Amino acid sequence: RIEVIGSLNLDLVSTTARVPQGGETIITQSFSTGCGGKGANQAVACARLSRSQHDISSGSVIVSMAGAVGDDSFGGDLLKGLRDNGVDAASVLVRKGEKSGVAVIIVEEHSGENRILMSPGANFSLKPADFTDLPAPLPDIIILQLEIPLDTTLQILKTAQQKKIEVLLNPAPAQKLPNEAYLAITHLVVNESEASIVTGNEARDIDWTSNTAQHKTLLDLGARHVIITLGARGVCYLSKGKPIRTFAAQKVNVKDTTAAGDTFVGAYAVAIMLNRDRSETAMAKAIDWANQAAAKTVERPGAQSAIPWANELPPSNAK
Ligand code: ADP
């Protein structure tokens, strides 16, 4: 079983010809709502990539999510969003009197650039005390991001380490973490800007495809398997004592890159869950499959709705 512990947000997305000035009202081109939050997106990615869209009730991996929503209508939408994609949402707490997390997203039509106001609401009600223990049966893999309070994430890492559960951290939005946090992290998945931030690098224009000194700094943080996603340039895999491996991105017709990183994380987690072998060959296969899954997502518009189902890809263990 994979357990994702993290954020759930309702996305309110307005597309506009231009961004309003102070005091100005603009009639927008379009408006849509959708389920989001990095935690929920990655849980949905794990669930979709381990089941067929024709039968979501059973899959090759059980995927559950722990998090918190408010007792408002958005909270109900977020729970339904998880269940409709095959995620077990029984561990998502519904906090009385709290508001669900909301992201107000303004997309400028001509540039595609977005501006986001994030109100964490119930996501920030998750306290370290909620995770000093984990209920049995324990998951095989825990996936974390950084959209819930940091002290809570650090407690989850401690508990997972005590229970010897493999942890995948996607440190987004990125911040520098205490050194001891990395002792509990087996898989670190970062994009280029996250790689720069977690290594405390001031320069934001590092080329992570070729800069081996920076690669060493990133690996020295302590995670056993480090994956840097490079957008349209693919993926780079680092592991102590092994040569750097790069995987070219699939050549696709790019529509919308939203949720590409979340798809990559979900697919990689499913692949390493289905094959417990951590040899270089097995890791390369997992990364290659996640690279294919993420490419499918960028070919389609939307966030969670763009994430492919297992039946849209070759099997994760295909030769
Ligand atoms: P994030 O969405 O977290 O910023 P990236 O932009 O690095 O992450 O994208 C994650 C992964 O999605 C990439 O490593 C790659 O596998 C896939 N991907 C992203 N952009 C493209 C693209 N233009 N063409 C093909 N694959 C892509």
Side-chain angles (χ1 to χ4, degrees), residues 38 170 172 190-194 227-236 247-254 257-264 287 290-298:
K38 288 204 157 280
N170 171 224
V190 287
N191 66 17
E192 291 177 280
S193 70
E194 290 152 7
I227 285 128
I228 312 169
T229 63
L230 305 161
R233 285 173 295 131
V235 189
C236 175
F247 300 76
Q250 306 277 305
K251 289 199 180 5
V252 291
N253 198 346
V254 182
T257 59
T258 312
D262 293 332
T263 304
F264 185 92
I287 293 164
N291 196 23
Q292 291 180 48
K296 270 258 177 323
T297 296
V298 310

Side-chain angles (χ1 to χ4, degrees), residues 23-281:
E24 186 187 17
T25 301
I26 290 180
I27 308 292
T28 64
Q29 322 291 308
S30 75
F31 173 76
S32 65
T33 62
C35 295
K38 288 204 157 280
N41 287 352
Q42 292 176 13
V44 166
C46 291
R48 284 189 170 217
L49 287 156
S50 57
R51 32 187 62 58
S52 155
Q53 70 201 113
H54 308 298
D55 178 16
I56 65 159
S57 63
S58 65
S60 53
V61 176
I62 298 170
V63 180
S64 55
M65 172 147 196
V69 295
D71 62 349
D72 48 9
S73 63
F74 288 169
D77 294 343
L78 289 166
L79 291 173
K80 183 174 183 307
L82 290 180
R83 293 187 181 120
D84 286 352
N85 283 289
V87 178
D88 174 353
S91 299
V92 178
L93 306 168
V94 180
R95 302 284 204 200
K96 276 223 158 54
E98 294 244 18
K99 290 193 162 53
S100 297
V102 172
V104 175
I105 305 173
I106 301 174
V107 183
E108 198 177 46
E109 197 177 40
H110 70 92
S111 61
E113 194 174 53
N114 57 29
R115 290 172 172 77
I116 303 178
L117 290 165
M118 168 104 88
S119 305
N123 291 306
F124 271 24
S125 74
L126 296 173
K127 298 282 179 265
D130 298 328
F131 297 98
T132 47
D133 199 3
L134 290 166
L138 294 173
D140 301 279
I141 297 174
I142 291 178
I143 304 182
L144 300 171
Q145 317 75 31
L146 298 178
E147 285 188 344
I148 60 172
L150 184 62
D151 54 350
T152 305
T153 303
L154 296 177
Q155 177 62 53
I156 300 167
L157 286 171
K158 249 189 227 158
T159 309
Q161 193 181 11
Q162 279 159 8
K163 308 256 180 201
K164 298 189 164 51
I165 304 170
E166 227 173 344
V167 174
L168 184 165
L169 176 75
N170 171 224
Q175 56 177 296
K176 221 168 169 298
L177 300 177
N179 291 342
E180 63 271 19
Y182 290 95
L183 300 174
I185 299 166
T186 315
H187 309 270
L188 180 71
V189 182
V190 287
N191 66 17
E192 291 177 280
S193 70
E194 290 152 7
S196 298
I197 294 168
V198 297
T199 51
N201 228 300
E202 298 295 315
R204 289 290 141 80
D205 54 355
I206 298 167
D207 177 3
W208 284 96
T209 42
S210 58
N211 200 328
T212 48
Q214 300 302 339
H215 287 155
K216 183 173 175 334
T217 315
L218 189 59
L219 251 182
D220 283 349
L221 291 173
R224 195 166 324 139
H225 305 282
V226 176
I227 285 128
I228 312 169
T229 63
L230 305 161
R233 285 173 295 131
V235 189
C236 175
Y237 170 65
L238 318 172
S239 181
K240 273 232 163 72
K242 312 243 171 71
I244 294 165
R245 281 198 69 159
T246 49
F247 300 76
Q250 306 277 305
K251 289 199 180 5
V252 291
N253 198 346
V254 182
K255 265 261 167 60
D256 177 358
T257 59
T258 312
D262 293 332
T263 304
F264 185 92
V265 166
Y268 172 80
V270 166
I272 61 169
M273 174 75 217
L274 291 175
N275 183 0
R276 312 296 284 155
D277 178 4
R278 297 289 175 263
S279 69
E280 243 180 296
T281 321

